[in-house]
């Protein structure tokens, strides 16, 4: 398990694990490059990290499925990623840490106290406020309480996963637990949203690493997501784009178009409106991503993606009904009602017009007229 | 576009009364069909390209659909589906008396009612029908041009558009004497009732004689009727529907009185339109006789073999299709069948048949003095087209067309003379004694 | 609710409702005015004049030889951009998917790159049409708010559509939202302006053609 040797530098940890300086620089350069930072930054990063006292990281999990943590730990090169855990001092994570109960809680409190103002708070899962916070409690305290307190001493808050960033699945209609994203609870700290359901492992680690080494929040988009990973849509980088441009769409799963790798737009791909790095960094160390495997993008890194209608309805489809409702039926109902109402109004206005006509003719007859 | 003197006499109405008259006049006729036509206009302006007033002057105000603009506005404001909303929100202005005064010139001076605009509209709107409706409204406003109003009033009262030294009945008999042809008059019973254009009585008596001669040659049981002699309908020109009806009634009543099965319309386009296509509606029920233009009648006689014609030897000939009987009335085939039977070498104008340009005198324009300069401008193109055919003989089957071209002959020093198709037929009846 | 969901959801529902209601209201509103039957005997038989009417639907699409010298260019531009509009609206993949979602059936389309070419041509023609409306004295005199606004909203739909497909000028969601919103506005405007000619044109040609054919008149 992870040690919290607060006084060991990263360089010392690396040496203990048999990682050469050269090997570490290679890693940092690769990470820097993935973040579109210049290669020299890699060296600087490495030097900085090696000399750094590992910053404290508190990882809080609320209404979540643990998928985000699973993603993070399912990283391709465990030796490198687990080094990251030794680069940071993960002082609290209720899934990974050995301690439980009161011991775990007091370890967190101590870390928060000792590193007040300097620790990085990582949050996954949404925060429910329904039933007085009763939907998610740990140690007799509600998620909301825990979050508010932890936020006080955080240098920054990294919301991992769409639940923490935007509310995610608990937030989806009808939101029975009255779940909220972190940004709805905490307002006065730098917040970075690393959304995705789950996010790509390297996106999580890259963001953490960037903050830890520079102490600065990276460029963020309007949803507070790092632009370096969330600046382009899947559509912008999708290798099937030429098929979209040619209008070659798969109509059903496993039809000829699908087998020929045609665009999945008509099968509901939300690529055009989804910002993430799946099409470039991909998953499982660059093995593949959903579209490459033949399934359209769900849009899982976007706010409210659960409530955008069917995952299998094309992007341009009308968004009237809830997912699963037959829109043609609804359209016919609404149109029929409108036609009947319009017809009635037409009968009314024709009636008014004819009455006015008659009145005007009567006036003409009453008026003395030479012309007849 | 002055008003003042052009207000029909005794129509010194207040502005409110004028507008009210126009609106009620227009409203009366605005049924589903007119409404549909007014709704369909998409402001493409293509109708201008059919109208010889626009073509001759390039003045956009002569755009046919623009001639009904106040009435289109009125329709939208008063009778369209959203009219209550338009009125409530003040989105459409009311028509003013000034507007109506301005539009008198557009509707009467610059429109021959020729119907060419109805052929060109991509939306299929019968623009000429809307103009006719608008003219009715103008009449009710007291804004029919004086010349037309006066003639309509006189004809409605007396049966003649103008008074004459001798009543037309007597003139008719005199023509018979002059040309040595029997004039059947006031027979109690006849198959065919005849009438004449007053233009022929006044200016082309040979045509009257020709009509009588041809009927005699064919041994058709026919008669003129003193109380229903004049073919033209000035009520139609002026836009006064009640007077149009009364004027048509004379002919209808006389045709019924002599038990005619055919009312024969002489060479006059507007007379045909008024009788063949409008009289029954004004009368209130289907007419108990056929209405035929003389060319139609003679073409039927030709087809059945009863009429035989000699070659006329007229050389290269061109023909003026009267708008109201040809393009608008459907008498397209008959004149040409008759000309063919006379072995005529027909050289068609560039715009001929249903697409022919109006002579320029139709719709009452010939009678409106102040419209003459504008009329002459439109005729320049027409005369050129006739000359371009290389024809030496110029035929028509409408006395008002003939009058208009004669007037142009004087004004332009034009070389051709308009001749009557009926006269030519009368001169070339096979089996008839040659005329002295 | 974000702008795109609004545009595709409640805004679209309201727009389609107003469209259906308004169109029917407007047509019923004048169709129920008085109808006058013609008492003059027809020249043509009933089948002939019905056929005449139907024929006019087609024949009015091509100017008669007597008129074509003067009207040919303008009509060519007009018909061309209409054809462009039909092709774009009905044969572009995402549009087919959209209409399919509303009505329950789809049909084959054209390659999107071809649609892009046609869109650019159509927009160019549409700009030419505005230029003509403003500079030609006849058309300028006839024009009112309806003409200019109908032009504007149709152009907005096309321009936002091109921007969305080409991802020009902002994040895709916003561009798509603008496009769908402009369609919503067009649908709401439709019953109140000249766009109704889409419903009028064939019946108008048929009815007026039939009336003329009944008389044996030229049509």
């Amino acid at each position: 398990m992870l040690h919290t040797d607060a006084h060991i530098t990263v360089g010392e940890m690396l040496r203990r694990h048999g990682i050469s300086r050269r090997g570490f620089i290679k890693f940092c350069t690769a990470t820097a490059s993935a973040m579109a930072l210049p290669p020299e930054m890699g060296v600087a990063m490495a030097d900085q990290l090696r000399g750094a006292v590992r910053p404290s990281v508190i990882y809080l999990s609320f209404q979540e499925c643990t998928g985000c943590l699973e993603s993070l730990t399912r990283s391709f090169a465990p030796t490198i990623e687990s080094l990251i855990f030794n680069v940071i001092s993960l002082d609290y994570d209720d899934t990974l840490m050995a301690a439980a109960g009161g011991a775990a809680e007091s370890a967190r409190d101590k870390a928060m106290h000792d590193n007040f103002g300097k620790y990085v708070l990582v949050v996954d899962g949404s925060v429910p406020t329904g039933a007085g916070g009763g939907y998610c409690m740990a140690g007799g305290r509600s998620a909301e309480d825990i979050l508010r307190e932890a936020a006080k001493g955080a240098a920054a808050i990294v919301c991992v996963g769409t639940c923490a960033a935007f509310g995610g699945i608990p937030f989806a209609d009808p939101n029975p637990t009255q779940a909220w994203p972190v940004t709805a609870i905490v307002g006065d700290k730098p917040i970075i949203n690393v959304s995705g359901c789950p996010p790509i492992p390297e996106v999580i680690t890259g963001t953490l690493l960037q903050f830890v080494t520079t102490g600065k929040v990276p460029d963020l988009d309007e949803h507070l997501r790092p632009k370096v990973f969330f600046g382009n849509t899947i559509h912008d980088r999708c290798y099937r784009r030429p098929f979209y441009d040619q209008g070659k769409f798969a109509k059903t799963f496993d039809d000829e178009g699908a087998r020929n790798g045609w665009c999945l737009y008509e099968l509901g791909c939300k690529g055009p409106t989804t910002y993430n790095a799946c099409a470039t960094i991909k998953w499982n160390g660059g093995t593949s991503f959903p579209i490459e495997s033949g399934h359209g993008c769900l849009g899982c890194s976007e706010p409210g993606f659960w409530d955008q209608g069917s995952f299998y309805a094309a992007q341009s489809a009308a968004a009237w009904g809830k997912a699963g409702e037959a829109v043609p039926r609804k359209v016919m109902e609404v149109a029929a009602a409108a036609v009947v109402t319009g017809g009635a109004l037409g009968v009314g206005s024709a009636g008014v017009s004819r009455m006015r006509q008659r009145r005007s003719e009567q006036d003409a007859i009453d008026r003395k007229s030479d012309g007849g | 576009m002055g008003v003042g003197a052009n207000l029909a006499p005794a129509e010194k109405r207040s502005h409110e009364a004028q507008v009210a008259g126009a609106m009620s006049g227009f409203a009366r006729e605005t049924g589903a069909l007119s409404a549909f036509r007014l709704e369909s206009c998409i402001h493409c302006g293509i109708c201008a390209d059919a109208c010889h007033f626009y073509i001759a002057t390039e003045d956009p105000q002569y755009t046919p659909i623009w001639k009904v603009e106040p009435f289109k506005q009125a329709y939208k404001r008063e009778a369209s589906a959203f009219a209550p909303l338009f009125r409530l929100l003040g989105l459409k202005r009311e028509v003013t008396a000034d507007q109506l005064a301005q539009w008198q010139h557009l509707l009467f001076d610059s429109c021959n009612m020729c119907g060419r605009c109805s052929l060109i509209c991509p939306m299929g709107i019968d623009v000429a029908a809307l103009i006719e409706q608008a003219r009715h409204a103008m009449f009710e406003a007291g804004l029919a041009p004086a010349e037309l109003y006066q003639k309509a009033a006189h004809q409605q009262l007396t049966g003649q558009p103008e008074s004459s030294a001798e009543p037309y009945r007597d003139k008719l008999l005199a023509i018979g004497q002059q040309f040595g042809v029997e004039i059947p008059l006031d027979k109690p019973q006849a198959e065919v009732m005849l009438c004449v254009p007053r233009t022929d009585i006044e200016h082309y008596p040979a045509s009257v004689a020709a009509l009588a001669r041809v009927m005699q040659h064919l041994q058709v049981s026919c008669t003129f009727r003193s109380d229903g002699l004049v073919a033209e309908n000035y009520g139609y020109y002026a836009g006064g529907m009640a007077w149009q009806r009364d004027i048509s009634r004379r002919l209808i009543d006389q045709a019924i009185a002599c038990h005619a099965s055919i009312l024969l319309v002489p060479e006059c386009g507007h007379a045909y339109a008024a009788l063949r296509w409008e009289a029954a509606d004004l009368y209130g029920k289907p007419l108990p006789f056929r209405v035929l233009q003389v060319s139609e009648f003679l073409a039927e006689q030709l087809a059945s073999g009863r009429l035989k014609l000699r070659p006329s030897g007229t050389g290269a000939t061109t023909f003026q299709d009267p708008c109201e009987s040809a393009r608008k009335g459907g008498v397209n085939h008959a004149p040409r069948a008759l000309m063919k039977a006379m072995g005529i070498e027909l050289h068609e104008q560039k715009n001929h048949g249903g697409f022919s340009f109006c002579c320029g005198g139709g719709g009452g324009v010939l009678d409106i003095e102040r419209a003459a300069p504008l009329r002459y401008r439109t005729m320049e193109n027409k005369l050129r087209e006739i000359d371009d055919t290389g024809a030496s003989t110029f035929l028509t089957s409408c006395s008002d067309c003939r009058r208009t071209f004669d007037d142009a002959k004087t004004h332009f020093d034009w070389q051709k003379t308009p001749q009557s198709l009926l006269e030519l037929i009368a001169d070339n009846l096979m089996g008839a004694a040659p005329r002295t | 609710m974000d702008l795109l969901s609004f545009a595709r959801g409640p805004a679209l529902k309201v727009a389609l409702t107003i469209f259906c209601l308004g169109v029917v209201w407007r047509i019923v509103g004048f169709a129920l005015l008085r109808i006058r039957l013609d008492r003059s005997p027809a020249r043509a038989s009933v089948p002939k004049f019905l056929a005449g009417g139907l024929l006019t639907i087609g024949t009015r699409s091509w100017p008669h030889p007597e008129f074509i010298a003067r009207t040919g260019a303008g009509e060519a531009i007009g018909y061309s951009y209409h054809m462009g509009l039909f092709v774009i609206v009905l044969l572009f993949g995402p549009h087919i998917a959209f209409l399919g979602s509303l009505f329950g059936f789809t049909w084959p389309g054209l390659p999107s790159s071809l649609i892009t070419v046609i869109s650019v041509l159509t927009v160019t023609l549409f700009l030419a049409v505005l230029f003509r409306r403003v500079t030609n004295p006849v058309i300028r005199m006839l024009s009112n708010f309806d003409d200019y606004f109908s032009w504007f909203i149709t152009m907005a739909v096309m321009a936002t559509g091109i921007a969305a497909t080409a991802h020009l000028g902002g994040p895709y969601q916003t561009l798509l939202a603008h496009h769908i919103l402009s369609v919503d506005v067009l649908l709401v405007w439709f019953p109140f302006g000249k766009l109704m000619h889409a419903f009028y044109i064939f019946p108008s040609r048929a009815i007026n053609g039939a009336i003329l054919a009944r008389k044996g008149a030229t049509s």
Side-chain angles (χ1 to χ4, degrees), chain A residues 342 345-346 348-350 352-354 356-365 367-372, chain B residues 10-11 13 17 20-21 23-24 27-31 78-81 84 87 139-140 149 240 242-243:
Chain A
L345 286 165
S349 72
V352 168
S353 296
R354 285 176 87 141
R356 291 171 67 89
Q357 261 180 319
R358 266 196 294 274
R359 202 180 322 135
S360 144
E361 284 160 30
Q362 189 56 48
D363 287 348
I365 292 171
R367 255 196 322 271
K368 265 235 280 231
S369 147
D370 284 299
Chain B
E11 297 309 304
R13 299 183 188 180
M23 293 299 110
S24 63
R28 180 157 61 241
E29 288 175 67
T30 302
E78 306 294 332
S80 69
R87 287 195 297 273
F139 182 92
E140 305 256 347
Y149 179 88
W243 287 353

Side-chain angles (χ1 to χ4, degrees), chain C residues 26-42:
Chain C
R26 185 156 175 191
I27 293 177
V28 171
F30 73 76
L32 288 184
L33 295 176
R34 288 188 278 198
I35 296 192
R36 206 199 66 193
L37 292 168
D38 195 347
R39 292 187 183 90
S40 310

Side-chain angles (χ1 to χ4, degrees), chain C residues 43-113:
Chain C
R43 185 189 298 279
S45 62
V46 170
K48 259 212 164 110
F49 89 75
L50 288 175
L54 292 172
L55 211 68
T56 310
I57 296 178
T59 57
R60 280 300 164 102
S61 288
W62 194 267
H64 292 282
E66 288 83 354
F67 299 137
I68 200 166
R70 292 185 70 100
T71 66
E75 292 207 49
I77 294 178
Y79 287 124
S80 297
Y81 80 68
H82 276 86
M83 290 194 285
L85 283 169
F86 283 132
V87 165
I88 297 165
V89 171
L90 296 177
L91 298 179
F92 180 48
H95 289 164
I96 297 172
F98 171 74
L99 293 167
S101 77
L102 288 181
F103 301 120
F105 60 91
T106 62
W107 53 91
L110 287 177
S112 308
S113 43

